[in-house]
Amino acid sequence: MSKTGSYDGLILGGVLGLIISYPSIGNWILDLLDSVIPSTWDWFGSYSLTVFVVAIGCIIGFIVDKTR
């Protein structure tokens, strides 16, 4: 049986709700990452930034799961 925190779903749902409700937050995150990630990492064409954002989200989720 997996061990889940009592507030994990609440926090992740709230963050997702903020990003959906305020697309400017999502645009700010994408602009920030676009300025940080070098253009030589353009491995997936125009979808590179999207792939990196999903990968960063997966890594953060993995870290949250492993630190409990």
Side-chain angles (χ1 to χ4, degrees), residues 13-62:
V15 169
L16 182 61
L18 277 174
I19 292 173
I20 291 172
S21 299
Y22 297 104
S24 61
I25 296 173
N27 290 335
W28 177 79
I29 292 170
L30 288 176
D31 290 341
L32 175 71
L33 289 175
D34 193 31
S35 67
V36 173
I37 295 175
S39 61
T40 57
W41 289 13
D42 194 17
W43 302 320
F44 303 105
S46 63
Y47 296 106
S48 293
L49 189 58
T50 305
V51 170
F52 289 134
V53 169
V54 170
I56 289 170
C58 290
I59 290 169
I60 290 171
F62 181 76

Side-chain angles (χ1 to χ4, degrees), residues 3-13 15 55-68:
K3 298 177 183 178
T4 58
S6 59
Y7 296 110
D8 290 344
L10 177 68
I11 293 170
L12 292 176
V15 169
I56 289 170
C58 290
I59 290 169
I60 290 171
F62 181 76
I63 291 170
V64 167
D65 283 344
K66 291 297 180 183
T67 56
R68 290 182 296 118

